[in-house]
Amino acid sequence: MTRLPSRMMVDVLMRSASAAGGFATLLARGDDHGGAILIQCRDRDGDGPLLERQFDGQWQAVGPDPASSPADRADYVARRRRIDPDLWLIELDIAQAPQFVANLNPPT
Amino acid sequence: MTLDSLVYPASVKAHVVLDPKKGIFPFFGDLAARTLGLDSGQVTEALQMRERLGSTGFGRGIALPHAKLDGLAGVRGLFVQLARPMDFAAVDGLPVDLFFVLLSPLDAGADHLKALASASRMLRNEKIADRLRGAKTDEALYALLADSEARDAA
């Protein structure tokens, strides 16, 4: 399967979220080509999982358990940003976010 | 984080009609100069530079222009409601009429992010966005930002 350059992937994500009636807010820009992409899911019910694009282009839940405190999640995100200035950070507000993200680039 | 803690009443403007010769970024620059004591040209340029990387219009008529600047003591916001929506190259192609402008000190990494997320959360709440669009005066607009529901959403 293909792994799009990071900036293009983020663009696809933001447009697809909007087209599907959701919202994607770019909180921090990363490196255009190889920057890691971290998505913090958050809908009206509160915080959802953190999803990160893997080397094979698939998305995987990372960081503290979604059921843990919001402070733990914020700490994790802050730590990731500190050690990796190339990281893209996006807040995604859409129904069934993990499925939505998984379907962005289905395995070929 | 509550948005009314970022915005001074004077930094909130309802029913703005833009000078067609100047456009919106100089308007933000002038507002930041008047209410925050910043250099209008610097603010204008910094916001435009960020916008060139990709529109901060994140859909449904809402945009979050932002920049980091020298000479700020903390994260500050401006809130502008336009009389007529304008094209802003937003992600959904819809014109934009609600702008939350975020200005942060150069070293405000985490606070800047938190404020961006809070502003986005509040404004993507449809009920709150509708109310903000309905506000007729600066005072009414500010009161809505400070409203308990808006605080909860953020």
Side-chain angles (χ1 to χ4, degrees):
Chain A
M1 82 179 282
T2 51
R3 188 174 187 271
L4 288 176
S6 304
R7 182 177 178 166
M8 218 182 281
M9 184 68 237
V10 168
D11 200 54
V12 167
L13 170 69
M14 302 205 35
R15 286 178 195 286
S16 308
S18 173
F23 280 109
T25 311
L26 182 53
L27 295 179
R29 299 183 60 87
D31 179 74
D32 279 358
H33 304 287
I37 305 175
L38 188 62
I39 297 175
Q40 53 180 46
C41 302
R42 157 108 186 183
D43 58 22
R44 59 188 65 201
D45 298 328
D47 288 344
L50 292 169
L51 304 170
E52 181 171 11
R53 188 169 67 150
Q54 306 298 304
F55 284 110
D56 61 4
Q58 305 277 15
W59 295 85
Q60 200 178 317
V62 295
D65 189 87
S68 67
S69 79
D72 285 353
R73 189 171 91 149
D75 274 355
Y76 175 81
V77 172
R79 203 163 59 235
R80 289 289 308 272
R81 291 243 312 138
R82 209 162 39 238
I83 57 177
D84 181 7
D86 292 338
L87 179 76
W88 295 78
L89 178 63
I90 293 142
E91 179 156 301
L92 178 63
D93 180 352
I94 198 164
Q96 301 186 308
Q99 288 92 323
F100 169 81
V101 170
N103 289 327
L104 280 176
N105 45 357
T108 48
Chain B
M1 180 175 287
T2 63
L3 295 187
D4 57 316
S5 69
L6 304 176
V7 181
Y8 295 117
S11 307
V12 174
K13 291 286 167 201
H15 206 76
V16 168
V17 178
L18 291 172
D19 178 345
K21 273 186 248 126
K22 284 180 81 175
I24 195 149
F25 290 103
F27 180 86
F28 295 149
D30 290 349
L31 186 58
R34 277 205 309 282
T35 63
L36 302 172
L38 295 168
D39 181 86
S40 172
Q42 247 171 33
V43 172
T44 303
E45 197 178 325
L47 289 171
Q48 269 171 335
M49 242 167 66
R50 166 60 189 86
E51 211 61 41
R52 274 199 286 272
L53 296 174
S55 177
T56 60
F58 71 93
R60 294 193 218 157
I62 302 156
L64 290 173
H66 53 269
K68 290 189 177 169
L69 292 158
D70 231 350
L72 268 170
V75 179
R76 293 284 173 261
L78 315 170
F79 193 81
V80 173
Q81 173 222 64
L82 291 186
R84 276 193 311 274
M86 64 177 280
D87 179 40
F88 205 66
V91 65
D92 58 359
L94 292 176
V96 172
D97 61 348
L98 295 179
F99 293 87
F100 197 99
V101 182
L102 206 68
L103 303 171
S104 304
L106 293 175
D107 59 355
D111 286 346
H112 176 78
L113 236 59
K114 230 188 275 177
L116 260 186
S118 295
S120 160
R121 283 168 198 173
M122 188 192 85
L123 293 170
R124 67 191 189 228
N125 180 314
E126 230 165 321
K127 210 157 66 176
I128 293 173
D130 283 349
R131 277 189 208 148
L132 291 168
R133 290 199 165 93
K136 301 264 190 296
T137 63
D138 301 349
E139 293 74 20
L141 202 50
Y142 182 77
L144 285 169
L145 292 179
D147 180 80
S148 61
E149 200 172 341
R151 286 171 169 235
D152 290 348

